């Protein structure tokens, strides 16, 4: 997620810690993950919303894109799910973050999930994010993390994917759209950025997001995706999934 009250890009945010060590951005008045269960939210919204792991069957390689790396919860939950499959593709995970958490912040946030501890340890061992592109191998899969403004970095994301060891092509098979709430962080949901997202998506590629805001749906449709609403996580009535036409 794009973080809160930093004066300069790429600096770690100031956080509030709610009950259960849930990190919250005071500026955006939003948490980094659901207080009803962040890992379960990731599985419902992003994995199920993109029909994963079913779409991994028979694939040698797969590319996931994400707007808002935040605590890395979506990335690590995806790796955990991959590890539970009898056969799984090599993953390239492309993500963007304007204000990366500090090492201590990241460790505190991830300590909530002991089932992720082995994967979290590997991520923390590599966690020295610098502005621009960071390329790390985690559990045999590739993380491409862009630190900076997603609208600028997206222009070079295709070239970065082309250089990834496990990327099948310079395109994304599934997107996790996970910025702060659109009403509090509208920049990450603007049409120009979503058009870049669509351009980087392989035909037939999908997206999922927890939000069902009307103007976000309209922007996603205008960007080139076919959009529909589906059941949201926990007490949230609706969320959105989408597909780029073949």
């Amino acid at each position: 997620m794009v973080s809160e009250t930093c004066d300069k890009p790429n600096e770690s945010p100031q956080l509030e810690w709610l009950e259960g060590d849930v990190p919250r951005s005071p500026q955006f008045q939003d948490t980094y993950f659901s207080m009803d269960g962040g890992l379960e939210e990731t599985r419902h919204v992003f994995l199920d919303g993109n029909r994963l792991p079913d779409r991994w069957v028979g694939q040698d390689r797969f590319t996931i894109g994400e707007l808002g790396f935040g605590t890395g919860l979506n990335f690590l939950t995806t790796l955990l799910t991959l590890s539970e499959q009898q056969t799984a593709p090599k993953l390239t995970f492309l993500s963007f973050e304007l204000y990366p958490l500090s090492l201590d912040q990241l460790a505190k946030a991830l300590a909530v999930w002991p089932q992720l501890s082995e994967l979290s340890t590997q991520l923390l061992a590599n966690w020295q994010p610098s502005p621009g592109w960071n390329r790390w191998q985690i559990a045999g899969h590739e993380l491409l993390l862009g630190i900076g403004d997603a609208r600028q970095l997206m222009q070079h994301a295709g070239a970065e994917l082309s250089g990834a060891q496990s990327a099948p092509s310079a395109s994304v098979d599934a997107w996790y759209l996970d910025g702060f709430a659109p009403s509090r962080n509208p920049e990450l949901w603007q049409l120009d950025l979503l058009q870049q997202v669509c351009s980087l998506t392989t035909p037939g590629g999908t997206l999922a997001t927890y939000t069902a805001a009307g103007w976000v749906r309209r922007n996603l449709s205008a960007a080139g995706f076919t959009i529909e609403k589906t059941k949201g996580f926990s007490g949230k009535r609706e969320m959105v999934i989408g597909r780029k036409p073949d």
Side-chain angles (χ1 to χ4, degrees), residues 124-144:
L124 293 167
N126 285 274
W127 192 252
Q128 292 181 323
S130 58
W133 292 103
N134 300 262
R135 189 186 301 263
W136 300 319
Q137 292 291 318
I138 310 290
H141 302 280
E142 190 155 29
L143 171 61
L144 292 178

